Amino acid sequence: MTADADEPGVFVVSTGRCGSTMLSNMLRLNPEILSLSEFLAMLLPDPLPQGELDAAAYWRLLTKPWPFFRHAYRVGVRVPEFLYLPGPDSRFTAASGIPPILITALPHLSDDPEWLYDEVEAFVAGLTPASAPAQHRRLFGWLRDRLGAHVWVERSGSSLLYLRRLADLFPDAKFVHLYRDGRECAYSMSRNAGYRLGAVAMMLHSRLGMSPYLSDGRPPDQVPPDLRPFMPETFDHEVFERFEVPVAELGQFWSDMIMPALDVLSSLPPERVLQLSYEDVVAEPRQALQRLARFAGLPHVDGGWLDRAAELVEPRAPRWLALPEGQIHELTRVCEPTMRRLYGGSW
């Protein structure tokens, strides 16, 4: 069976740090599903630029290293979502920069991501000019057919930030909103190296008027001593490990992503939206995956896949409860309105 090249596909949208990587890993185990993990998230600064892109421009979008990821590799910040780990025989290195689609998306799909990279390059070379969403749809459809799947599911962390654009630019796509207790999401963000380096990047931009992690601009000749340990050329891992992002600020960030996204989702036809909580996925993974697969258009769900996927679930106790009492109070306060909207009275 070969799916229609124009079949709309599915986006799993979320705040990040809500079990979405686990969900991508579950979906990858089903050969009928092309699981695209962090495809759009890595195409910074904008995965959906305006205007037409010819083959060369689209290839640049897919492969031009962005300063944030280039420096993260160079300074050795270990981000769990980065699956491409350069070795002595790797084609790309931290110094050269890693093409965005090679950081996570292609290693998630293949044990030989550089082979798949070459395959994608050959396909993209033959594309006629089109908008970025149209080029993405072409590539997703080609990858789906090339790897023998029937439906594509793209999942990127923090994709709620551009949900409105996704809904407008992919008018037939379906959306799975994966959500989790905001207090646990915020706690996880505060411990995740990628989010913490992002907070460093924003701090440098605020203090210096630029950030080497966000652009290739020249930093000031004189950098304040307290900021030097965070600059790429003088990066100090011990100082970075001590850097703290207030968890309540991350709780507010979580809430500010979800509230407008819920309005977008509620404006879509009900058949295009599936609300799925992390708590339900962990408590009943087989049932949750059955719902998602049928929503995606796979009426016959393989029981063996459900069993294998369920084994990836590792329940853990909420970690935010270990925070000091004052932080728990403030974190709960900023998350409460959104938690009530997501979970109702059961939050």
Side-chain angles (χ1 to χ4, degrees), residues 105-325:
L106 298 188
H108 180 75
L109 291 174
S110 173
D111 292 333
D112 189 354
E114 292 181 357
W115 161 80
L116 189 53
Y117 179 88
D118 291 337
E119 294 269 303
V120 172
E121 182 177 17
F123 170 75
V124 169
L127 292 176
T128 55
S131 67
Q135 301 291 35
H136 290 328
R137 279 192 293 267
R138 290 170 172 177
L139 179 55
F140 293 174
W142 177 81
L143 279 168
R144 176 201 61 211
D145 295 342
R146 180 70 179 83
L147 299 178
H150 297 331
V151 64
W152 58 260
V153 179
E154 199 281 337
R155 191 280 318 169
S156 287
S158 299
S159 49
L160 290 183
L161 290 170
Y162 45 89
L163 173 61
R164 175 75 272 171
R165 297 173 67 199
L166 285 177
D168 290 342
L169 296 172
F170 295 84
D172 298 323
K174 295 181 178 182
F175 294 91
V176 177
H177 176 214
L178 181 66
Y179 60 91
R180 186 181 191 177
D181 187 316
R183 295 163 294 187
E184 187 66 14
C185 287
Y187 180 93
S188 183
M189 289 175 185
S190 73
R191 269 58 182 176
N192 177 267
Y195 279 89
R196 294 174 65 247
L197 190 62
V200 165
M202 297 305 295
M203 176 192 67
L204 293 175
H205 187 273
S206 175
R207 294 274 304 275
L208 301 176
M210 69 80 61
S211 172
Y213 298 98
L214 302 178
S215 73
D216 288 318
R218 178 182 172 85
D221 291 332
Q222 298 296 325
V223 175
D226 63 316
L227 298 184
R228 289 174 192 161
F230 301 108
M231 300 294 285
E233 303 304 326
T234 51
F235 194 83
D236 187 317
H237 282 268
E238 291 186 5
V239 175
F240 176 69
E241 290 302 319
R242 294 196 299 268
F243 178 76
E244 293 188 9
V245 185
V247 69
E249 289 185 10
L250 293 169
Q252 189 65 58
F253 173 65
W254 170 86
S255 181
D256 290 344
M257 261 197 280
I258 290 185
M259 280 298 209
L262 290 177
D263 293 336
V264 173
L265 293 170
S266 66
S267 72
L268 300 177
E271 63 271 16
R272 290 182 59 197
V273 178
L274 174 65
Q275 298 280 357
L276 191 64
S277 77
Y278 167 83
E279 291 80 11
D280 284 346
V281 174
V282 170
E284 299 181 329
R286 291 175 56 90
Q287 291 87 333
L289 290 172
Q290 281 181 324
R291 288 176 60 204
L292 194 158
R294 288 170 180 159
F295 174 75
L298 298 176
H300 305 294
V301 182
D302 176 59
W305 166 58
L306 295 175
D307 291 337
R308 293 190 301 274
E311 292 176 358
L312 299 183
V313 173
E314 297 180 357
R316 61 169 62 178
R319 294 169 296 170
W320 62 271
L321 291 170
L323 292 168
E325 184 176 348

